[in-house]
Amino acid sequence: MRRRQPVNDLGPRLKDQHEPVLEFICRRCHRHCALERKQLVKAFGAGVSFAAIRRRMAMGCEHMQTPEGDKCHAHFPCLGDTDGRDES
């Protein structure tokens, strides 16, 4: 049985990004949206990690929790992240 990787909530935080609009993309699910930073701060607080926001935004994704782990490809391009998975 494969062990789940711990979620990296110590990664980049919303307070570290200052762009007024942040892109959220998942090519696998054909999701693409622009999120206003001010709205995200209001909803989650400036100290929230992008990993936590990603999990909330991808809720309901059938690829998020599979027997093989997180296979969701949702990500924030501003982080230089190409596939969005929380694994290191």
Side-chain angles (χ1 to χ4, degrees):
M1 181 177 203
R2 185 173 177 221
R3 294 184 69 171
R4 284 184 51 158
Q5 293 285 342
V7 174
N8 180 8
D9 278 341
L10 301 176
R13 303 213 171 261
L14 187 55
K15 66 183 177 182
D16 301 325
Q17 291 293 322
H18 300 285
E19 293 86 10
V21 177
L22 303 167
E23 268 187 302
F24 180 75
I25 297 173
C26 181
R27 289 186 181 97
R28 187 174 197 174
C29 297
H30 307 289
R31 291 184 187 194
H32 183 225
C33 62
L35 305 167
E36 288 187 32
R37 185 182 178 283
K38 284 183 182 180
Q39 292 299 95
L40 292 172
V41 170
K42 200 180 275 189
F44 301 108
V48 69
S49 70
F50 276 93
I53 297 171
R54 177 185 166 267
R55 286 192 305 275
R56 289 294 289 280
M57 295 298 300
M59 259 187 196
C61 174
E62 64 187 46
H63 306 289
M64 183 60 89
Q65 293 186 14
T66 70
E68 297 83 32
D70 182 352
K71 297 296 180 187
C72 179
H73 291 205
H75 67 283
F76 292 92
C78 65
L79 301 178
D81 187 10
T82 58
D83 69 3
R85 288 178 277 169
D86 291 335
E87 299 173 12
S88 305

